[in-house]
Amino acid sequence: MESLIKQWDGESVIIRYDRVADAWIFIAIHSTALGPSAGGTRMKPYPHLREALEDALRLSGGMTLKWAAAGNNYGGGKGVIAVPDSLDSQGRSDLLRRYGTFVHQYNGIFFTGPDYGTSSEDMDIIAETGDPYIFGRTKAAGGSGNPGPYTALGVLTSIQVVAEQVFGTSNLEGKKVLVQGVGSVGRGLTTLLRETGAEILISDVDPSLTQYLSDEFGLESIPSDEAYDRPCDIFAPCAVGAILNKETIPRLRCRAVAGAANNQLGTPGDADLLRERDILYAPDFIANCGGAMAIIGMEVQGWSHKEAEEKLVHAIKSNLSQVFQMTKADGCSTDEAGKRIAERRLSGA
Ligand code: PPY
């Protein structure tokens, strides 16, 4: 764990052991250059504690790039709560309240909201003690609700922009889009894709999730270990990170990658592998910023639901077209180009 922190380029990590629930809490503050750190709180059991810390460190770094590229004055942060498998519902709610107290103690150096394993309803509970540092509460409690649909809209926009680059048209009719992971965001993406006339393939490690979509909408489901090999036009990773790596990239049979998962590249060099294979990659921290932008837009900047949609679509189109221009002009990878856009803002801070 020491070596993870030594190698990390962020600012601070806050660690707490919650004795009552036997849970570990990591809050990684990657950067406060543009403003207070902000990012969702992920809650799940981890086989090894090291992986929980690793998630917090990596994901908070992604948030720094996301906020900077999106033009928001926040820095990268992420909360991770590593819980035991045995945690029951009452124990979970009590832990969330203690987590709120913990976040509150830091007086706004870290703002948080929903992420993998936490919901808007959970944010209502955390906010009982953590207010005013909790975003994404339910609409009934005065928050902006589940950010998933906004993230999905941003990913759809990214898919349309990469289609335009690769096929000369953003019209997805008849285009094969493979959605890897049909949890909250992936499933929302399939709903939006159905309206475009795209041919949708789905894949998930949890067969109950794909079964529902296959039964209800006739979507073709691919076994999860075959997702990389299946020919498609656009591959949309909406599950776990690090799935674009030296094992999977040679197997891909798509023209472009655009999805919602955080930290999709195994290493930054994997963006070059994609470029060498002529697969156009929409940098994850640009493609998946819709939820983050909408949360801040609606809760801090006073945007309506409609304004949030319009502004996130506009920001993603504009950032991706800059990225693709930069890669054409100087041959860098799209990931590198996206990072330059973010770093330009960070260095001007
Ligand atoms: C993400 O986009 O990965 C987030 O964590 C978004 C976010 C930002 C602020 C509060 C909650 C979630």
Side-chain angles (χ1 to χ4, degrees), residues 38-42 59 63 66-67 77-78 111-115 135-136 147 151 262 288-293 295-296:
T41 293
R42 197 166 266 226
L59 293 163
M63 288 307 300
K66 197 178 301 193
W67 292 127
K78 208 81 174 187
F111 285 72
T112 196
D115 204 297
F135 292 127
T151 307
N262 281 310
N288 69 16
C289 76
M293 263 191 84
I295 282 186
I296 298 306

Side-chain angles (χ1 to χ4, degrees), residues 7-185:
Q7 285 157 22
W8 183 57
D9 61 350
E11 291 178 14
S12 344
V13 196
I14 305 170
I15 303 176
R16 183 183 181 101
Y17 173 63
D18 184 279
R19 195 169 300 282
V20 178
D22 184 24
W24 285 86
I25 299 169
F26 297 108
I27 294 175
I29 298 174
H30 181 264
S31 168
T32 52
L34 292 174
S37 72
T41 293
R42 197 166 266 226
M43 177 148 111
K44 62 175 211 167
Y46 284 85
H48 305 285
L49 199 55
R50 181 187 159 91
E51 288 154 29
L53 173 64
E54 202 167 11
D55 251 3
L57 301 180
R58 277 182 330 115
L59 293 163
S60 67
M63 288 307 300
T64 298
L65 296 172
K66 197 178 301 193
W67 292 127
N72 286 113
N73 288 327
Y74 286 89
K78 208 81 174 187
V80 168
I81 311 180
V83 288
D85 288 311
S86 56
L87 190 65
D88 64 13
S89 163
Q90 184 63 47
R92 187 174 181 280
S93 303
D94 292 343
L95 171 63
L96 291 176
R97 286 187 192 92
R98 292 192 295 277
Y99 178 66
T101 304
F102 186 49
V103 169
H104 193 274
Q105 280 175 348
Y106 288 89
N107 282 319
I109 196 174
F110 174 67
F111 285 72
T112 196
D115 204 297
Y116 182 91
T118 57
S119 63
S120 288
E121 286 73 18
D122 292 334
M123 295 308 123
D124 292 353
I125 298 173
I126 299 174
E128 289 173 24
T129 48
D131 189 58
Y133 307 120
I134 312 302
F135 292 127
R137 286 173 297 156
T138 60
K139 287 184 183 149
S144 56
N146 175 15
Y150 298 95
T151 307
L153 176 63
V155 175
L156 175 73
T157 305
S158 306
I159 290 175
Q160 289 167 327
V161 176
V162 296
E164 177 138 39
Q165 289 287 318
V166 174
F167 303 112
T169 170
S170 59
N171 187 341
L172 298 177
E173 207 167 336
K175 293 281 181 288
K176 266 192 193 158
V177 182
L178 196 160
V179 181
Q180 180 191 44
V182 285
S184 158
V185 176

Side-chain angles (χ1 to χ4, degrees), residues 155 158-160 162 177-178 189 234-238 256-261 264 280-283 287 320:
V155 175
S158 306
I159 290 175
Q160 289 167 327
V162 296
V177 182
L178 196 160
L189 177 62
I234 293 162
F235 181 69
C238 297
V257 175
Q264 292 170 26
L280 189 66
Y281 168 64
L320 287 181

